[in-house]
Amino acid sequence: MAVANAVEWTRRHLIGLEDLSREEIELVLDTAPQFLAVQQRESGIKKVPLLQGRLVVNLFLEPSTRTRVSFELAAKRLSADTLTFTSANSSAVKGESLHDTLANIEAMHSDIVIIRSGFAGAAAILARRHRSHIINAGDGAHEHPTQALLDAFTIRQHVRARRDDPEATLDGLRVAIIGDIANSRVARSNIWGLTKLGAHVTVCGPRTMMPPHIERMGVEVTSDLREALVGADVVYALRIQLERQATGAFPSLREYIRLFRVDNDSLKVAPRHALIMHPGPINRDIELAADVADGPRSVILEQVSNGVAVRMAVMHLLANSASVAPEGPL
Ligand code: CP
């Protein structure tokens, strides 16, 4: 299997898209289609031996369905050995520190460790002290880089198909991200990634869910859903973290739905070609109407399918690129 450009990748870890250049993001997006083809093989084995003999460890200290399963499947399709730890079945519940947990995993010769944690900065801290390749699978409200990479990949696929141009880029594309921006690592990684790729990003939500100075990230800010949706090529709804309702981030669910739900009514002002996206899990009929989530413009399950190929590309680039130092700090 020929994998183009792998020698150009120089990073040992993937912590966030804030760190990456446009060229590095595009290298991941350009590497992923080869892995998509592996997944889509109708006959033969949906596997390549690129991580054969390597150990990939999923260390998930927060709940996850999509990301955990996707990384595990991606590692298996690269022929790696895989182990998955969750907070419930690890000694973290007995008070073991994250460093000690990882030191013990590394004593069993892990090559790649994928970490999800509720603490912003957890992946970066581990990357400074440990020798495995660290991939951030979501750290607090900080970043979720592989989610944003698979989102950009999915958007780019559709832009290229709609324009019938296999080289089309995201330059000038209009993306509206709707919801709880302040608490969203998905929003943050998407803002870094999409703006670097040349898209115009508008964030929309209640003022209480908008981080201060968010416009410094190069986005437009509004609390008017229709203003955000006019001209949007992509409408990206975020999960409302219902657990935060008690903290007063929004007055009532009914009020949130009335003002911010993406549904067929609010979408009347959006272009007919607008893609509907969501990272999952969805609160149906709260941030996103169920019929829109399941409708013809929705690419939500394509995001999930593409996630496996994008994560295969990330792991391959980190572990197999000739320009990555064999061991070293962030
Ligand atoms: N998109 C996402 O991170 O979903 P999970 O929490 O299920 O992994």
Side-chain angles (χ1 to χ4, degrees):
M1 178 187 183
V3 178
N5 298 330
V7 290
E8 295 169 21
W9 184 265
T10 59
R11 291 183 188 271
R12 189 162 173 75
H13 311 288
L14 178 64
I15 305 302
L17 295 198
E18 180 178 7
D19 307 328
L20 299 193
S21 66
R22 174 175 182 147
E23 291 70 28
E24 288 172 308
I25 293 170
E26 286 180 336
L27 178 54
V28 177
L29 305 190
D30 292 344
T31 304
Q34 300 158 77
F35 295 112
L36 205 57
V38 171
Q39 288 206 91
Q40 290 168 344
R41 284 176 185 164
E42 288 190 0
S43 60
I45 300 166
K46 293 184 175 61
K47 266 189 166 190
V48 286
L50 290 166
L51 290 184
Q52 196 160 41
R54 316 273 189 104
L55 176 58
V56 175
V57 177
N58 266 321
L59 183 55
F60 274 66
L61 304 176
E62 267 197 338
S64 167
T65 298
R66 280 146 288 269
T67 313
R68 181 172 52 79
V69 172
S70 178
F71 266 117
E72 193 164 334
L73 185 55
K76 286 182 193 304
R77 292 209 161 137
L78 290 168
S79 306
D81 297 322
T82 59
L83 289 176
T84 295
F85 293 84
T86 62
S87 48
N89 71 9
S90 81
S91 288
V93 290
K94 299 181 202 164
E96 184 170 60
S97 77
L98 200 47
H99 279 306
D100 282 343
T101 300
L102 189 46
N104 279 274
I105 288 170
E106 289 199 321
M108 293 177 242
H109 303 286
S110 57
D111 295 288
I112 298 176
V113 174
I114 297 143
I115 166 102
R116 170 168 288 192
S117 164
F119 297 102
I125 289 167
L126 291 180
R128 284 191 202 104
R129 282 214 3 212
H130 296 273
R131 54 153 196 78
S132 301
H133 298 278
I134 304 290
I135 301 177
N136 181 7
D139 60 332
H142 174 229
E143 283 226 38
H144 191 348
T146 56
Q147 177 70 47
L149 288 167
L150 71 90
D151 292 334
F153 182 78
T154 305
I155 295 169
R156 197 176 76 167
Q157 263 186 334
H158 279 270
V159 167
R160 289 181 170 184
R162 182 162 60 86
R163 295 185 191 159
D164 195 18
D165 175 2
E167 305 288 317
T169 69
L170 272 55
D171 286 298
L173 201 79
R174 300 185 71 85
V175 181
I177 303 178
I178 319 293
D180 184 357
I181 309 296
N183 289 299
S184 177
R185 54 195 174 209
V186 172
R188 228 162 246 101
S189 284
N190 263 297
I191 291 169
W192 287 121
L194 292 170
T195 55
K196 285 177 190 203
L197 292 170
H200 181 282
V201 178
T202 299
V203 292
C204 174
R207 287 184 200 287
T208 49
M209 292 181 171
M210 208 54 80
H213 311 304
I214 182 79
E215 63 286 347
R216 290 184 191 163
M217 291 181 76
V219 296
E220 256 183 60
V221 184
T222 180
S223 289
D224 180 337
L225 179 59
R226 278 160 184 78
E227 187 183 312
L229 297 185
V230 170
D233 300 295
V234 176
V235 178
Y236 197 112
L238 297 171
R239 181 176 83 89
I240 284 300
Q241 301 183 27
L242 296 169
E243 61 274 22
R244 295 183 196 283
Q245 201 186 354
T247 67
F250 53 100
S252 77
L253 217 46
R254 184 179 298 184
E255 185 78 348
Y256 183 86
I257 290 168
R258 189 174 69 79
L259 294 173
F260 296 104
R261 182 170 69 182
V262 176
D263 55 26
N264 280 321
D265 186 42
S266 54
L267 282 170
K268 279 180 187 153
V269 297
R272 288 167 66 91
H273 68 254
L275 301 176
I276 306 298
M277 302 181 76
H278 192 296
I282 303 170
N283 296 304
R284 285 176 173 265
D285 290 325
I286 297 181
E287 70 266 7
L288 182 62
D291 56 353
V292 174
D294 300 331
R297 295 198 275 184
S298 169
V299 296
I300 293 168
L301 292 179
E302 289 175 43
Q303 291 171 259
V304 176
S305 298
N306 287 336
V308 179
V310 168
R311 290 177 172 121
M312 288 171 79
V314 166
M315 286 193 280
H316 167 63
L317 288 168
L318 292 178
N320 290 332
S321 295
S323 310
V324 174
E327 283 190 24
L330 192 64

